[in-house]
Amino acid sequence: MKKMELNSNQIMLELIDYILKEDLVNKFDLNTIKDSANSFYENFYASKHRKTKQKLVEEIEKFSLYDMSNYNGYETAIIPNLIMVLSIFKPEFVRKLTSNSDNKKYMDFGGLKRKVSPPVEAYEYVGNNKLDISPTHRSYGLLFE
């Protein structure tokens, strides 16, 4: 099996070589693929600097899974399976690269501040009012800011 052509980046060559070496193309199992992506990260990229990891993520995101010119030199029989494995392997590897970093894509928006619509207690009987609202025992959708 030949290598990919020069139009592809180095990190994707390493990813595909690792996938083929581990024979993930023939045993398509979600947990196995995710575990392999995590072990690939731990073995080769866990000790890298944060800026290096950001550059790697940028290079990985440039790679198009469905551009067939990226797979020139590989057997046509394994390309569909390779695309399926890469579609699981790549996001899991990127998730490991971006965890514990200041990537704006994965920012925490914090908790809920205050309720906007009235709580269920507001619909209880208040007094002798002809406009009393009786609850219908449906779930009330509360809005939050």
Side-chain angles (χ1 to χ4, degrees):
M1 204 174 298
K2 295 187 285 185
K3 298 280 186 189
M4 291 169 59
E5 290 186 350
L6 295 175
N7 63 347
S8 299
N9 50 30
Q10 186 63 30
I11 183 65
M12 290 309 297
L13 285 172
E14 292 175 15
L15 283 176
I16 292 175
D17 286 343
Y18 183 80
I19 288 170
L20 293 174
K21 184 183 81 171
E22 294 292 318
D23 198 31
L24 295 174
V25 176
N26 295 326
K27 47 186 174 188
F28 190 76
D29 179 34
L30 182 70
N31 292 328
T32 306
I33 294 170
K34 286 186 174 186
D35 290 342
S36 295
N38 290 332
S39 64
F40 180 72
Y41 170 78
E42 295 296 331
N43 292 338
F44 301 109
Y45 292 99
S47 62
K48 301 280 185 188
H49 190 266
R50 185 174 55 91
K51 293 199 184 262
T52 306
K53 290 179 183 178
Q54 287 176 346
K55 288 180 184 175
L56 287 173
V57 170
E58 291 171 6
E59 289 298 315
I60 290 171
E61 294 298 332
K62 288 180 187 176
F63 183 82
S64 172
L65 290 177
Y66 305 108
D67 183 9
M68 295 316 253
S69 67
N70 289 329
Y71 304 104
N72 288 342
Y74 288 105
E75 297 173 15
T76 56
I78 67 163
I79 290 175
N81 292 343
L82 184 61
I83 290 172
M84 287 191 306
V85 171
L86 274 173
S87 68
I88 297 168
F89 193 94
K90 184 175 127 175
E92 183 68 19
F93 182 64
V94 169
R95 186 187 65 78
K96 291 296 281 185
L97 283 173
T98 58
S99 63
N100 300 327
S101 68
D102 295 332
N103 192 348
K104 297 293 183 196
K105 260 187 188 173
Y106 306 101
M107 64 188 283
D108 180 25
F109 290 105
L112 302 173
K113 302 290 185 215
R114 68 181 177 97
K115 296 178 183 177
V116 175
S117 64
V120 176
E121 292 83 19
Y123 297 101
E124 292 179 355
Y125 184 74
V126 180
N128 191 7
N129 188 352
K130 295 188 183 211
L131 298 174
D132 286 344
I133 300 171
S134 60
T136 59
H137 300 294
R138 294 182 185 165
S139 61
Y140 296 98
L142 299 178
L143 301 175
F144 295 95
E145 279 186 338

